Amino acid sequence: MTANNIIEVSGISFSYPGTDKKALHDINLEIGKGEFVLITGTSGSGKTTLAKCLNGIIPHLAEGHLAGEIVINGKNTQRVPMHDLASEIGMVFQNPEDQIFSIRVEDEIAFGVECQGYQQEVIRERVHYALKKLRLENIKKQITFSLSGGQKQKVSIASNLAILPSILILDDPTTDLDPVSKQEVMDILMELKEEIDTTFIIIEHDLNDLIEAIDRVIIMHEGSILYNGSPSEIFYTHFDELNTLGIRIPDHIRLAKYLLEIGHEFDSYPISKQEVCKWVEKLLASGKLNLPEHKAEINERNDETVAKLKGVNFSYQKGKQILYDINLEVQKGEFLAIVGHNGCGKSTIMKNLIGLLRPSQGSVIINNKNTKEHRVQDIILDIGYVFQNPDNQLFCNSVEEEVEFGLKNRGISKEVIEEQVELAINTVGLQKKRKNHPFSLSRGERQRLAVATMLVSNPKIILLDEPTTGQDEQSLKALLTLMKKLIVEKDATIIMITHDMEVVAQYASRVVVIDDGKIVLDGHPSDVFFNSCQELHSLKLKPPIISQFSADLSEAGFPKVTNWNMFSSNIINRDTDRFGKKSII
């Protein structure tokens, strides 16, 4: 092992039990001490499997066939027991509930340090340090299972930081965090990088807040490393290939790539949002760039109300109110996005909608049924619900059994079940894994499976709680395009909770912003994101990058826009003589 390398991977291949297909194939990798490395790729490409090999879960706890060698800080992961690796390498999993053991937040953060045998004084210092770094002091006495998904993720990160490992792997660490909290976590990791010389390996699909911080990008595909290099090399030199693969390239990189394609020059390949913003501002001011106006497509609202919340208040326990006077009507055929910071009450609203929870005051009527007067099983007959954590609704032994379970319970004929199951599995792209156990799938694939179990019954109202979790660009686009297709062809209504503002801008016909249990903004995404740009920041939300550019550079001549895909199509399809050759974007 060379002096500067803290990780050396040589010829690693791995296959899970019961399959000949390799989850990892001939992985060779070196990572230096103190590096900040991003691993990304399509859903199911082997990212999490590689992470489990690095920290010793494979082969010590997970079955399968592992070949090759991994050396972590001089220790061979196959020969050294896991407890010896624990002080060297920490890991934050995709699902924080997989690694939370203690009742209270501060006890959970102390757990790992206690297991290493430190004295109480050191344990207290480490816990205080981690609580402060993750801004968790105000909830240190709270019960862990009462936290929101985002809060649990922060606690998981804090419990790893308290151990002060040489290497910290974070598997989709910001998936369940609101946009401002995502940025906070990234800022915290950058601070830690300077303070404790830790090597960070981050597995992530959403690169907007990551791309400026990382030293190196590793792109995985079908169990192999496809590209390995600097952010500028990977995202510009291999732009077309990444686009084809379905990697979620940040919009400011897409805009910069477009400017380079039409002949504008820049000293280097710009990576930061600030670099691109200043470049665009300079081009607009000089008259060298003239971006066309873009009008958002606004559909007329249907007069038929399918869901109505009137004066809804809700408390989980006496004296702790969560929702305050919620008044909301949802029209048939809407694609409604509900957004807000972690713990603001979004999931509570969703659960009230289908009768899993019932309001303390006020009423909820969905599909002409008052949730206080009907049983949950009667309310959800024409409603599909995909939970924030797909693991909460998967319990069968194969993908195929999972999808057909609901139909069998309804006594539907075998022929119809086979037809519906085939259609649902094909729709979510899990044909090749229909015989696999659900928990052998990646997080993104399990999310798609949960969607298939919902789609199979042809629901009229579809509720999606964070459907973008763990999804690559292709899978996400396929899912949400399907949702829009269901609106057009089946008169479906979609209600989606998400932290992904780009998704809201591209797909939603309406967005409702929640803050501390109250509705504070309600309108079309183009209006909410552009007109309330500064207010959204105060609500721990960030508009899409292109919308932020639009607001910041509006006086310089940048048009009002919130959706890069529609905006870029508008640019590309216009008269190309104004700019020269047509862009590849």
Side-chain angles (χ1 to χ4, degrees):
M1 188 165 192
T2 59
N4 292 330
N5 288 336
I6 196 168
I7 296 173
E8 289 190 353
V9 179
S10 305
I12 283 292
S13 294
F14 179 76
S15 55
Y16 287 99
T19 178
D20 294 329
K21 185 178 179 181
K22 291 181 178 179
L24 297 177
H25 180 72
D26 195 27
I27 300 290
N28 293 282
L29 178 65
E30 294 180 351
I31 295 176
K33 187 175 182 181
E35 269 198 284
F36 203 116
V37 179
L38 165 69
I39 301 178
T40 191
T42 51
S43 180
S45 61
K47 304 181 297 295
T48 299
T49 301
L50 176 59
K52 289 178 179 178
C53 288
L54 293 177
N55 74 355
I57 289 178
I58 296 173
H60 294 295
L61 298 180
E63 294 182 357
H65 179 67
L66 177 66
E69 185 177 76
I70 298 174
V71 178
I72 302 292
N73 215 5
K75 297 177 180 179
N76 188 307
T77 60
Q78 296 181 61
R79 298 174 193 157
V80 174
M82 276 203 69
H83 61 263
D84 282 353
L85 291 171
S87 60
E88 299 288 351
I89 185 164
M91 184 165 176
V92 177
F93 293 92
Q94 284 178 320
N95 180 8
E97 293 178 359
D98 289 344
Q99 62 188 112
I100 291 180
F101 305 99
S102 304
I103 299 297
R104 297 192 183 277
V105 169
E106 61 182 351
D107 294 334
E108 177 62 30
I109 295 171
F111 180 77
V113 190
E114 288 175 331
C115 288
Q116 291 183 320
Y118 286 102
Q119 294 182 348
Q120 285 192 6
E121 184 179 346
V122 175
I123 294 170
R124 280 194 292 268
E125 287 177 1
R126 296 279 191 89
V127 171
H128 176 73
Y129 173 74
L131 285 168
K132 185 177 179 181
K133 280 298 176 186
L134 269 296
R135 287 62 154 168
L136 294 171
E137 295 102 323
N138 61 328
I139 64 166
K140 67 180 182 180
K141 299 291 184 183
Q142 277 191 222
I143 305 299
T144 53
F145 61 76
S146 71
L147 304 178
S148 70
Q151 289 172 323
K152 288 176 182 175
Q153 192 64 286
K154 283 187 175 183
V155 170
S156 296
I157 295 171
S159 64
N160 273 277
L161 289 179
I163 300 172
L164 299 180
S166 302
I167 303 160
L168 182 56
I169 301 174
L170 302 105
D171 192 352
D172 273 339
T174 62
T175 293
D176 293 326
L177 299 182
D178 57 63
V180 170
S181 294
K182 283 186 179 185
Q183 186 62 61
E184 283 179 3
V185 169
M186 287 312 306
D187 291 342
I188 289 164
L189 294 179
M190 290 308 294
E191 287 175 20
L192 291 166
K193 182 185 176 186
E194 299 300 322
E195 289 178 11
I196 59 177
D197 198 27
T198 296
T199 299
F200 290 97
I201 301 172
I202 300 188
I203 299 168
E204 184 64 88
H205 290 99
D206 184 355
L207 311 182
N208 287 323
D209 294 320
L210 270 173
I211 195 167
E212 298 173 25
I214 53 181
D215 300 317
R216 185 148 53 111
V217 181
I218 294 169
I219 307 291
M220 292 193 67
H221 182 61
E222 295 184 349
S224 298
I225 292 178
L226 199 59
Y227 303 114
N228 181 358
S230 68
S232 58
E233 175 192 348
I234 299 300
F235 287 106
Y236 284 95
T237 307
H238 301 292
F239 182 93
D240 289 343
E241 295 92 330
L242 299 186
N243 221 18
T244 302
L245 275 178
I247 304 299
R248 299 191 66 186
I249 302 172
D251 282 349
H252 70 282
I253 299 295
R254 293 183 179 275
L255 177 56
K257 177 69 173 174
Y258 166 73
L259 294 176
L260 292 169
E261 283 291 321
I262 61 175
H264 296 293
E265 295 182 354
F266 200 81
D267 293 339
S268 60
Y269 288 135
I271 289 298
S272 75
K273 291 185 278 286
Q274 187 178 20
E275 282 180 304
V276 178
C277 186
K278 286 184 176 180
W279 184 24
V280 172
E281 184 176 25
K282 185 178 177 180
L283 290 173
L284 288 169
S286 66
K288 293 178 181 177
L289 182 64
N290 180 24
L291 296 172
E293 288 296 324
H294 168 73
K295 290 187 178 180
E297 184 180 321
I298 300 178
N299 300 323
E300 290 185 12
R301 293 180 69 180
N302 192 301
D303 291 334
E304 183 179 344
T305 299
V306 296
K308 183 176 182 179
L309 293 86
K310 185 176 181 180
V312 168
N313 294 316
F314 179 81
S315 302
Y316 281 106
Q317 57 191 51
K318 206 168 184 179
K320 191 176 180 182
Q321 192 164 339
I322 304 297
L323 301 180
Y324 298 85
D325 194 29
I326 298 292
N327 292 283
L328 178 66
E329 289 191 18
V330 183
Q331 266 63 49
K332 186 177 183 179
E334 277 196 297
F335 196 139
L336 172 66
I338 301 176
V339 304
H341 60 79
N342 291 120
C344 70
K346 303 184 298 297
S347 293
T348 303
I349 290 175
M350 197 77 97
K351 289 173 184 175
N352 270 271
L353 261 175
I354 61 171
L356 284 175
L357 300 174
R358 292 175 181 175
S360 312
Q361 292 177 306
S363 62
V364 177
I365 297 172
I366 186 164
N367 270 348
N368 298 314
K369 294 174 183 174
N370 190 314
T371 60
K372 287 183 176 179
E373 299 171 358
H374 291 81
R375 299 179 305 167
V376 174
Q377 53 263 48
D378 297 327
I379 293 170
I380 63 172
L381 287 175
D382 292 319
I383 298 173
Y385 189 2
V386 178
F387 289 78
Q388 183 175 8
N389 181 2
D391 298 350
N392 291 339
Q393 61 190 111
L394 303 176
F395 43 81
C396 293
N397 290 321
S398 73
V399 167
E400 194 172 63
E401 289 176 25
E402 198 74 61
V403 178
E404 66 187 17
F405 179 82
L407 295 179
K408 281 186 173 180
N409 278 354
R410 296 186 185 190
I412 295 171
S413 69
K414 184 178 179 181
E415 293 75 17
V416 173
I417 289 176
E418 288 177 356
E419 183 181 338
Q420 291 292 93
V421 168
E422 190 69 27
L423 179 62
I425 289 177
N426 288 342
T427 297
V428 299
L430 292 175
Q431 307 95 310
K432 295 180 180 179
K433 300 196 175 182
R434 61 190 306 140
K435 300 298 182 184
N436 291 27
H437 194 285
F439 288 97
S440 72
L441 306 180
S442 71
R443 173 72 181 264
E445 288 168 334
R446 296 200 301 277
Q447 192 79 29
R448 280 187 271 153
L449 174 55
V451 170
T453 64
M454 172 270 296
L455 288 177
V456 76
S457 59
N458 291 318
K460 292 297 182 184
I461 301 175
I462 298 172
L463 309 180
L464 305 171
D465 195 348
E466 292 289 0
T468 63
T469 299
Q471 299 292 350
D472 58 66
E473 185 75 4
Q474 282 185 337
S475 301
L476 185 58
K477 185 177 180 180
L479 170 62
L480 295 174
T481 300
L482 171 64
M483 295 298 111
K484 296 198 81 167
K485 185 178 179 182
L486 291 174
I487 291 173
V488 174
E489 296 183 359
K490 304 285 187 180
D491 285 330
T493 303
I494 314 296
I495 303 173
M496 171 179 67
I497 290 174
T498 184
H499 288 312
D500 195 322
M501 300 299 115
E502 278 79 12
V503 163
V504 175
Q506 187 172 350
Y507 293 96
S509 59
R510 178 183 171 199
V511 57
V512 168
V513 181
I514 308 295
D515 180 47
D516 293 334
K518 304 181 185 73
I519 294 176
V520 292
L521 293 170
D522 183 353
H524 191 274
S526 64
D527 295 322
V528 171
F529 289 152
F530 185 83
N531 299 330
S532 306
C533 204
Q534 295 307 314
E535 186 177 354
L536 288 172
H537 279 279
S538 69
L539 298 173
K540 289 193 175 183
L541 299 174
K542 290 197 299 185
I545 293 173
I546 202 72
S547 181
Q548 185 72 61
F549 275 34
S550 181
D552 292 346
L553 301 176
S554 58
E555 291 185 7
F558 203 103
K560 176 182 175 181
V561 59
T562 55
N563 182 345
W564 167 260
N565 285 340
M566 291 183 183
F567 182 50
S568 61
S569 297
N570 192 9
I571 294 173
I572 294 164
N573 292 331
R574 70 184 187 280
D575 182 2
T576 56
D577 289 341
R578 294 170 63 191
F579 285 95
K581 66 177 181 177
K582 187 179 289 189
S583 166
I584 61 169
I585 298 177

